[in-house]
Amino acid sequence: MSLPPEKASELKQLIQQQLSKMDVHGKIREILAETIREELAPDQQHLSTEDLIKALRRRGIIDDVMKELNFVTDNVDQELPSSPKQPAGFDKQSTLKKTTIDPTRRYLYLQVLGGRAFLEHLQEPEPSPGQVCSTFTLCLHYRNQRFRSKPVPCACEPDFHDGFLLEVHRENLGDGTRMADSTTMLSISDPIHMVLIKTDIFGETTLVASYFLEWRSVLGSENGMSSLTVELMGVGTESKVSVGILNVKLEMYPPLNQTLSQEVVNTQLALERQKTAEKERLFLVYAKQWWREYLQIRPSHNSRLVKIFAQDENGINRPVCSYVKPLRAGRLLDTPRQAARFVNVLGYERAPVIGGGGKQEQWCTLLAFLCRNKGDCEDHANLLCSLLLGYGLEAFVCVGTKAKGVPHAWVMTCGTDGTITFWESLTGHRYIHKPINPDEPPLAEQPKPLHPYRTIGCVFNHQMFLGNCQPSDAVETCIFDLNDESKWKPMSEEAIKSVCAPGATTSLPPFPPLCASTIDASVTSNEIEMQLRLLVSEHRKDLGLTTVWEDQLSYLLSPALASYEFERTTSISSGNEEFQDAIRRAVPDGHTFKGFPIHFVYRNARRAFATCLRSPFCEEIICCRGDQVRLAVRVRVFTYPESACAVWIMFACECAS
């Protein structure tokens, strides 16, 4: 591995210092004189370099130097930042000493030094070495940088000991190389978003807490260091209950030449809070006025799902437009349809509610949704809408109902030719909307809606909010001419911008970037496949059946699984003819082939196997009896950003007819 010139010169300097320290040059001179005296004849005047090195090696000088230099022989590749398993933006090392830093930039070093008072885990027994246990993971986001702590066992006092190096960027063009000073940093209002995730022994994740850390108090501390006690509150219905305390230490690096007075810092923070509160108050006054006008159009509008505000995981009411923002996926996703597939493979889970009484509302901030890897339909719709806006489409989140009046959210895009397309974020399906004309004669042929949506109350994105004021809120008769104010009542775009534009208020959670997957698709596919083979063999053994695996047949199932995923992503079917031809050639005459594909968004083989057995067709394959029974199973894991994945499994058997 070649070193850059500056590193090579630095290494030479270190070696030179060590040689001087050991007085190696003096020793070489002594050995040179001795060698000339003892080994050379009087008529010989020349001593070669090889002769000198032999003499040095014989007297152990070279070995002594090598020991003193103490070279580290670890694998260099482990430290390379381009390791494919390392997600972009994640801090590889957890201590300041080991992290590569640019001396021309300003950094905030955040250390999490343990936790306490996580009383829910007071009775948790200490895990024995090697035992699988529930863990806590802390996820951080600050100004487009993402970090994740090492998982620690759940306990009343979890043993967090992680450090994160956060770069404090300057936003002005041309200032990229200048180091941010105290005054500049005081004007950077972005908080550090901390999300605590609990992962149980089955790999299921739960959102424990979501906290916005105000870091600028460190600018007023004398030595540029500050220790904080962060009290984490629960989420949803438990947002007023403390779940635990984290000990946090903040440090500016390099140290500040000039610190601000604590009074200046406190005044700045108070001013920002005051401005934010005033903007939010004015928007609330406007929203009330808009709602009164909307009800005056038609009293029945009171029952429509027109959602102007929604509660986040901390129980804070925020305008729905603030949950959406154009989001670019970099090189992680290539097309809008691939983005829809990514959102679809993130898990679906309704917000937990204590007791009965209907649905608990909880729209998650994007970081909480991504770190938990699952969320409600609104979380999926907000993310998909953000990604489609990032691809330059005119996208909106729709709020309405499905069959039986169940509240639901989905996404709509408006084409330049007037085509309206609905995107179901939970399945990845797309539907072209063709409205029914209620004024047509009864016998006239009308388009039959293929989508599952029944009513629509409002649509919104990051700049617009429109309430449906057509006589009927049924989706099938709805006209989506959003510029027609007799059909859609708009909110003032200026009013929305005052509270939802980036940087408009300090209470607005910043949007994090997406991270590349850390899952190795091939390794994970093999692991799940081996586990399934074992589970099938054990299941058949319990039934008194032997199991013979046909490896070649298993391999031939791969193209089918790839084809299924390609179809889910692009809505185009391909490669089926080759698969069918290969199977016909592989199965001997007089034998029957049966195959059963199934799709999951989790990687738990035992759970997947239990689900497969509930299908009569799959159980018939797994429990196949007869002559010359050969079984096959193939697993293919397709990875997406944020370690989301689509897992395709196909069971097959061939037996004599």
Side-chain angles (χ1 to χ4, degrees), residues 13 35 45-46 49 112 114 134 141 162 170 205 207 223 232 289 322 334-335 372 385 513 528 539 616 632:
Q13 196 176 347
T35 306
Q45 296 299 314
H46 181 68
T49 309
V112 183
S134 298
H141 168 234
D162 273 291
R170 288 193 58 153
T205 53
L207 179 62
N223 54 359
L232 301 175
Q289 176 62 29
S322 69
D334 295 321
T335 66
R372 192 168 56 137
C385 182
I528 298 172
H539 185 74

Side-chain angles (χ1 to χ4, degrees), residues 117 319 343 367 440 445 649:
V343 176
L367 184 69
E440 286 278 328
E445 193 176 336
I649 300 171

Side-chain angles (χ1 to χ4, degrees), residues 65-72:
V65 171
M66 294 306 283
K67 276 181 198 162
E68 281 295 323
L69 286 173
N70 193 18
F71 282 106
V72 178

